[in-house]
Amino acid sequence: MKVLIACLLCVLGRCSSHESSLKGREVQASDVMEHIGRGEHLYLDSCIVWGDLDFTKLPNRNRISSNLTQVFVESSVTFHDCLFVGEVRAFDSEAGVCVEFAHNLSFTHCDFRKEADFTEVIVEGHVFFTGSIFHKRVSWQGSSFRHKKVYFNEVTFEDEALFQEAIFAGGGNFLHTVFHSSAMFQKIRAGGLLFFGHTQFKGYADFTYATAPESQFLYAEFGERYDFGHSQLHPMGLPEGIAIK
């Protein structure tokens, strides 16, 4: 596959024909999606992305049933220190389109100004959202993370964060993450450790019917509203007074 790589040398016109520079530039989401649609590995560094980044519009797709189409992203997708002015979409409920990422999905230290929707995505590779901030509602409902490395650490969620029925084949790392609004983890399933050390749940935290072989909440902080009803998390380090029913 070709590589779309951020590099100052490319800005100076010294990159090869299969490389492009998007470091420290303003780019259109449609241009980014064009590169991904051609199967190019993607790495954007310190860019401002204008327009809606919509993975559901990519051409590599397969009709699964009469009312569901799956888009396949063959590229490794990596954004670092990027600002997304528009929405980020990997799910279209009206058109019945979901997305599968065959490689890594990484948005580290990124700023999402509008809603992001990763509902029912499948990610085969590493998942990194380390250090990012979501100003609006974001959803990973029904998503499947099939690699053992899934990092949502040091993330700030200003609005709702929806993880209902998400599947973590390994575990999930939420170290030092802050949920200012609702954190919805109902019916999630994990095959490894769910780590919520030093996590702040300032809004409603819902872990009802959640399942994991082990979970860690050392130094986590909860607000007045939380629910662990019918969960099987085998938690360690829960603050005093937090009851598992």
Side-chain angles (χ1 to χ4, degrees):
M1 292 184 180
K2 295 181 180 179
V3 178
L4 176 64
I5 185 168
C7 171
L8 283 175
L9 292 178
C10 296
V11 174
L12 300 175
R14 290 180 284 169
C15 62
S16 66
S17 60
H18 66 272
E19 295 176 334
S20 301
S21 172
L22 293 177
K23 181 178 176 67
R25 292 176 54 187
E26 297 188 14
V27 299
Q28 293 296 322
S30 57
D31 294 334
V32 175
M33 300 311 296
E34 183 178 343
H35 286 283
I36 296 176
R38 292 201 296 262
E40 299 177 3
H41 289 310
L42 180 74
Y43 184 86
L44 268 69
D45 188 354
S46 305
C47 292
I48 299 175
V49 182
W50 293 93
D52 295 335
L53 193 71
D54 194 346
F55 292 94
T56 69
K57 303 300 184 184
L58 291 171
N60 188 10
R61 58 184 58 220
N62 180 44
R63 173 73 72 173
I64 297 176
S65 66
S66 60
N67 59 359
L68 181 62
T69 298
Q70 189 170 49
V71 170
F72 293 94
V73 180
E74 298 290 345
S75 310
S76 176
V77 178
T78 303
F79 296 93
H80 175 72
D81 194 28
C82 290
L83 169 63
F84 297 93
V85 179
E87 295 183 2
V88 177
R89 301 192 198 103
F91 181 71
D92 186 337
S93 59
E94 294 185 2
V97 181
C98 58
V99 179
E100 178 174 351
F101 295 89
H103 297 284
N104 300 337
L105 181 64
S106 181
F107 290 81
T108 56
H109 299 280
C110 289
D111 188 331
F112 296 82
R113 293 300 172 89
K114 292 188 177 180
E115 289 192 0
D117 194 347
F118 297 93
T119 299
E120 295 184 12
V121 299
I122 297 173
V123 188
E124 300 288 351
H126 300 172
V127 175
F128 290 95
F129 282 85
T130 301
S132 291
I133 180 170
F134 293 88
H135 294 275
K136 302 295 183 180
R137 177 181 179 271
V138 57
S139 173
W140 282 278
Q141 296 181 77
S143 296
S144 179
F145 305 111
R146 296 183 174 178
H147 197 277
K148 63 181 180 180
K149 291 186 177 180
V150 178
Y151 289 88
F152 288 95
N153 56 309
E154 300 178 18
V155 177
T156 299
F157 295 100
E158 297 285 354
D159 207 330
E160 289 183 317
L162 310 178
F163 287 88
Q164 296 101 315
E165 299 184 354
I167 299 173
F168 298 78
N173 189 324
F174 293 83
L175 176 68
H176 287 292
T177 287
V178 180
F179 296 92
H180 286 277
S181 186
S182 298
M184 312 301 282
F185 289 91
Q186 304 102 308
K187 297 183 179 181
I188 65 167
R189 288 184 289 158
L193 173 66
L194 290 175
F195 191 61
F196 292 94
H198 295 273
T199 304
Q200 297 181 49
F201 298 95
K202 296 188 175 184
Y204 176 49
D206 192 336
F207 286 89
T208 53
Y209 296 95
T211 303
E214 184 181 4
S215 61
Q216 174 63 262
F217 290 86
L218 190 64
Y219 301 116
E221 299 178 15
F222 288 82
E224 295 182 357
R225 299 181 62 230
Y226 54 86
D227 193 345
F228 285 85
H230 305 283
S231 64
Q232 298 180 40
L233 292 173
H234 308 283
M236 297 184 295
L238 273 175
E240 186 176 352
I242 301 294
I244 301 293
K245 299 180 181 179

